[in-house]
Amino acid sequence: MGNQVSFDLLRLDSWEGEAFTVYLDDEPLFSQRFYNWQNTDASTGDTNGINWSLTPTTDWTELYGSNFGSYTSYDQRFRVSLQLPAGRMAVKLGFGSGLNQAADDESYAIDNLEIRSADNPLIAVNTFDTADGWAGGAISELAGAGSVLGPYAA
């Protein structure tokens, strides 16, 4: 096994079946549809030799009260992990969504990005005090989470 990339995904407010997509080297790695009125269970897969997992770390009623923006919908936090093949050292990581409304209605944010070596020592961590190195990056303060990359929407 190679290096592992992991991060927290915060699904915020009124998602109605829109998909969040993780990109690796500008190619879609996986997509997950979310709904604001239900929990999303864990999912795993393998795409082109890269094992990935999306694991909920909260229930949909437990995050930041009941809303982040102005819309009263529930949020949910997930841990996303990507296991790279041995020898694969450099990747370009990206995120996208099918959201179609303003960020105060439905959005996502990224937090706690970590890169670990195959034998698990921490290589890098980003808790997003700045958006340096992220195209279109924006930092927000989210009550209960601190600084996050995002929120992103339509």
Side-chain angles (χ1 to χ4, degrees):
M1 282 193 193
N3 293 341
Q4 181 180 50
V5 177
S6 56
F7 59 89
D8 290 345
L9 166 65
L10 289 68
R11 197 253 330 129
L12 305 167
D13 292 336
S14 72
W15 291 57
E16 296 117 355
E18 295 95 345
F20 171 80
T21 303
V22 174
Y23 293 86
L24 209 59
D25 297 328
D26 295 321
E27 296 293 325
L29 182 65
F30 75 91
S31 291
Q32 175 70 49
R33 293 197 176 278
F34 295 106
Y35 299 88
N36 70 58
W37 57 85
Q38 68 185 30
N39 275 322
T40 300
D41 295 327
S43 59
T44 61
D46 183 292
T47 305
N48 298 325
I50 298 169
N51 293 314
W52 57 267
S53 65
L54 181 133
T55 306
T57 59
T58 66
D59 286 334
W60 64 285
T61 58
E62 296 179 353
L63 200 56
Y64 319 116
S66 63
N67 84 32
F68 172 61
S70 61
Y71 190 83
T72 53
S73 290
Y74 294 118
D75 311 317
Q76 194 171 5
R77 180 187 284 261
F78 303 87
R79 189 69 177 165
V80 178
S81 295
L82 315 175
Q83 187 68 52
L84 304 176
R88 183 131 183 222
M89 302 302 288
V91 296
K92 179 180 177 185
L93 183 63
F95 315 105
S97 75
L99 294 173
N100 56 8
Q101 296 175 33
D104 67 351
D105 187 0
E106 55 188 20
S107 58
Y108 68 90
I110 304 297
D111 199 13
N112 301 319
L113 175 70
E114 293 182 349
I115 303 170
R116 294 189 173 272
S117 67
D119 55 354
N120 207 30
L122 189 62
I123 296 172
V125 64
N126 193 336
T127 55
F128 299 107
D129 295 324
T130 72
D132 293 346
W134 291 92
I139 302 299
S140 299
E141 289 295 319
L142 183 59
S147 297
V148 297
L149 184 65
Y152 294 102

